Amino acid sequence: MKSSTIAIERISIISALPFDEVLARIGRDVGHPEMNRFRQAMKDARTLSELEEIVGRAIGPSGLMEFACHDLGAVVRKEGGSATPKSVRLIVGNPVIMKEMVKRVPDAGAYVPVTILIDERSDGVHLSYDRMQSLLAGYGDAEAGRTAADLDTKVERLLMQAAAFQATQSGRFFV
């Protein structure tokens, strides 16, 4: 058995918007294919260009699609009742981007599609994401790192838009 330590860089954005609005804003920007049909279409694709066309129809304006949505808060509310804060784990990604990372670093398959955590806390709605580039940094593949950085940019842009962040000219953000 081999063991490795991986440093993870997590970003967290706090939004003053209501939880349901943040979730809806993400929902507008990611694709929502019917997964059984999508999987079958991917399986039936004979060429990379066919696969890319299928993925292109499935992704949303962010370049990402939703693979799954887990309502963690619904489970916690079974114990805590209706006052329990909302919490959702979204699994999002893009199979074409995933392919580029996995072909260079097979272990990247353990991290894609990626997780976005959206949860209510006392100081607002938190949107958290573990940067793919940090997860792959230890593997030393520059091309996989660039692909991961591009994915991170897509996800972070999605989160900032969902949280209603605006960039200033200095590169700082505000709600």
Side-chain angles (χ1 to χ4, degrees), residues 13-49:
I13 299 169
I14 303 171
S15 177
L17 294 175
F19 179 91
D20 291 332
E21 185 174 341
V22 170
L23 195 57
R25 291 167 74 104
I26 290 174
R28 285 192 295 265
D29 284 339
V30 298
H32 301 274
E34 196 289 309
M35 288 309 292
N36 289 331
R37 275 188 255 175
F38 178 76
R39 284 187 191 101
Q40 188 62 49
M42 285 189 32
K43 183 179 176 184
D44 293 344
R46 292 182 303 268
T47 65
L48 178 58
S49 63

Side-chain angles (χ1 to χ4, degrees), residues 50-135:
E50 283 182 25
L51 177 75
E52 289 171 342
E53 188 177 312
I54 291 162
V55 171
R57 289 191 304 263
I59 60 176
S62 64
L64 304 168
M65 59 180 272
E66 181 182 302
F67 286 81
C69 177
H70 303 288
D71 188 345
L72 308 175
V75 175
V76 177
R77 277 191 294 285
K78 299 299 180 193
E79 178 183 352
S82 61
T84 302
K86 295 177 183 176
S87 179
V88 168
R89 179 180 178 212
L90 294 177
I91 311 300
V92 302
N94 180 317
V96 175
I97 295 171
M98 181 250 355
K99 171 190 66 71
E100 290 303 311
M101 288 184 288
V102 170
K103 76 182 184 184
R104 300 190 64 89
V105 178
D107 284 356
Y111 311 119
V112 289
V114 301
T115 292
I116 296 170
L117 179 64
I118 305 148
D119 64 301
E120 291 180 309
R121 300 184 195 179
S122 61
D123 60 344
V125 174
H126 286 234
L127 297 92
S128 301
Y129 168 68
D130 296 338
R131 285 189 169 136
M132 181 61 63
Q133 189 174 26
S134 71
L135 291 164

